Amino acid sequence: MKQMMELRDVAKRVIHQMKTLGNETRLEEECPISIIDIGKWEWAQGVGLYGLLRYYQETGEGDGLAFLIKWFDRNMAEGLPEKNVNTMCPMLTLTYVYESTGNPAYLALCQEWAEWILTDMPRTEENGLQHIVSGQANEQQLWDDTLFMTVLFLARMGSLLGRQDYLDESVRQFLVHIKYLTDRKTGLWFHGWTFEGRHHFANALWARGNCWYTAGIVDYLDIIQDLNGGVKLFLLDALLSQVEALEKLQHDNGMWHTLLDDPNSYVETSATAGFAYGILKAVRLGYLPPRFRSMGEAALNGVLARTKENGIVTEVSYGTGMGVTLDAYREIPLCPMTYGQALTLMLLTEGIKLDSSQS
């Protein structure tokens, strides 16, 4: 594994590319709002902002806070898109920017959007958060993306404001998503579930969808420090089951395939980075046994091998809607994405911590 200073140098290049990312590949986007252009307000950019925030928080390096303030101020002045699961994602980072600045406009916006989740966001049966996105209602559908994109923010607001109802709702969402999305045969997660017809669409064990739990649960437990002991154990059991399954499916090059159980599907970098981040952090915090550290390190090396000298993270799949066939996942195009940069950045942050602990 590269040494700490080398990892920091890679991180700086990854950050630079994320801050300036546009649609240089000229990919024809399917989403109503661009999820490539860093300047837009959508889920992909929200993950990008969060990765930048986490690196800034851990290292104190660079002008991360200034960039975030400028980004939020510009988008707020231009006007925000409609509320949904995906456009909620940038709000998680905004809660931390509010804490750093004390800007009441940031807090007011966070309060408005958090209350919408609790009172107005469409629900499925059993009160799951319906995966409504820009341009699609996805009625009665649960997707694994929702936990990272929306529920982390709701939990963070519960912690920030002392709102037990927000915290309780975040717990319910984790439990209902685990109930309906876990593949009981493997411990991995299906991409989605619909109560209309009660099925898992293509039964896709999609890699990036799975990584939203691996990467998200370790940060969720940071947000809720006093989570009920039984619930915490249940969430960590789900993580262990998932990681044990991932251990059997990791490629020799440290990567995972975009369809985890299909070795003929391409390996995918953003998912691998998300898995490695969650695994290494969970090992560091004692949530997973130490034997999984080598698995995370191998994934880190695989991601580094796919990060260009200029900081562009390659072999990242474009945003992926719910597939009704497995070929739909195999055929998603590859291009640089803010979430690919961000999940790599989060992984580099853990890699720096790992290197520091070993030195």
Side-chain angles (χ1 to χ4, degrees):
M1 192 180 74
K2 289 178 182 274
Q3 296 300 305
M4 188 190 307
M5 289 307 298
E6 292 179 272
L7 293 180
R8 288 179 183 272
D9 288 341
V10 175
K12 290 175 183 177
R13 294 193 291 271
V14 168
I15 289 170
H16 172 74
Q17 293 293 347
M18 181 166 58
K19 285 181 176 180
T20 58
L21 190 62
N23 192 357
E24 286 80 12
T25 61
R26 301 193 181 281
L27 178 72
E28 185 174 346
E29 296 206 60
E30 298 177 1
C31 301
I33 304 172
S34 172
I35 60 170
I36 296 179
D37 184 345
I38 185 61
K40 302 298 183 182
W41 184 294
E42 252 289 358
W43 72 270
Q45 295 85 347
V47 178
L49 300 176
Y50 184 66
L52 180 61
L53 170 83
R54 296 293 293 142
Y55 186 80
Y56 173 76
Q57 287 178 324
E58 293 293 341
T59 67
E61 293 179 356
D63 62 345
L65 181 59
F67 177 85
L68 293 172
I69 291 170
K70 183 178 180 180
W71 192 94
F72 280 108
D73 286 350
R74 179 177 53 77
N75 274 280
M76 289 168 65
E78 292 177 358
L80 303 188
E82 64 181 12
K83 300 180 182 71
N84 59 52
V85 166
N86 285 346
T87 57
M88 198 66 61
C89 189
M91 303 302 292
L92 175 60
T93 299
L94 187 57
T95 66
Y96 292 98
V97 177
Y98 161 70
E99 268 197 324
S100 295
T101 63
N103 186 335
Y106 297 161
L107 179 60
L109 186 63
C110 289
Q111 289 176 308
E112 175 193 337
W113 284 51
E115 194 64 19
W116 181 82
I117 298 171
L118 196 68
T119 61
D120 295 319
M121 192 169 187
R123 299 288 177 126
T124 68
E125 293 180 29
E126 298 192 32
N127 282 297
L129 292 179
Q130 181 173 303
H131 194 81
I132 178 175
V133 299
S134 301
Q136 287 186 294
N138 295 324
E139 292 183 8
Q140 291 298 313
Q141 294 182 22
L142 299 175
W143 295 23
D144 42 23
D145 317 48
T146 303
L147 296 176
F148 199 98
M149 306 310 159
T150 292
V151 179
L152 289 185
F153 163 62
L154 185 63
R156 169 69 179 148
M157 285 299 289
S159 178
L160 185 65
L161 301 179
R163 288 285 298 267
Q164 190 62 43
D165 53 346
Y166 289 178
L167 297 174
D168 289 344
E169 186 59 42
S170 74
V171 170
R172 173 160 66 177
Q173 293 308 317
F174 267 90
L175 297 181
V176 76
H177 280 75
I178 288 172
K179 177 179 179 179
Y180 283 101
L181 296 180
T182 299
D183 174 21
R184 295 176 183 178
K185 293 181 180 179
T186 64
L188 298 170
W189 287 49
F190 294 113
H191 187 184
W193 165 265
T194 177
F195 286 97
E196 294 183 351
R198 305 184 77 85
H199 58 77
H200 291 108
F201 299 93
N203 294 323
L205 300 174
W206 175 50
R208 190 165 60 243
N210 269 263
C211 96
W212 294 132
Y213 186 76
T214 326
I217 191 59
V218 289
D219 286 8
Y220 180 67
L221 295 177
D222 282 348
I223 291 168
I224 306 185
Q225 295 290 326
D226 57 348
L227 184 64
N228 175 279
V231 172
K232 182 176 181 179
L233 291 173
F234 182 83
L235 297 179
L236 289 176
D237 284 343
L239 175 64
L240 176 61
S241 181
Q242 183 197 49
V243 171
E244 286 178 334
L246 290 172
E247 185 178 29
K248 301 170 187 174
L249 298 170
Q250 189 173 26
H251 193 281
D252 291 343
N253 60 16
M255 303 287 285
W256 280 275
H257 296 271
T258 196
L259 289 173
L260 290 166
D261 58 343
D262 178 9
N264 294 317
S265 65
Y266 56 70
V267 294
E268 205 278 330
T269 308
S270 68
T272 299
F275 288 141
Y277 168 74
I279 290 166
L280 289 176
K281 183 170 180 177
V283 169
R284 175 171 61 82
L285 296 176
Y287 297 153
L288 288 175
R291 70 181 179 87
F292 290 114
R293 187 171 67 184
S294 60
M295 180 177 160
E297 290 177 338
L300 171 57
N301 286 328
V303 171
L304 288 171
R306 284 155 183 81
T307 304
K308 290 184 177 181
E309 186 66 26
N310 66 1
I312 286 289
V313 179
T314 65
E315 299 181 44
V316 174
S317 63
Y318 182 72
T320 305
M322 187 58 58
V324 295
T325 68
L326 294 179
D327 278 342
Y329 295 87
R330 298 183 183 107
E331 294 168 2
I332 296 293
L334 299 171
C335 63
M337 299 295 295
T338 49
Y339 50 79
Q341 301 293 124
L343 289 168
T344 297
L345 186 58
M346 291 165 66
L347 172 57
L348 290 169
T349 304
E350 270 305 307
I352 291 168
K353 282 179 165 290
L354 178 65
D355 189 75
S356 177
S357 68
Q358 291 177 336
S359 60

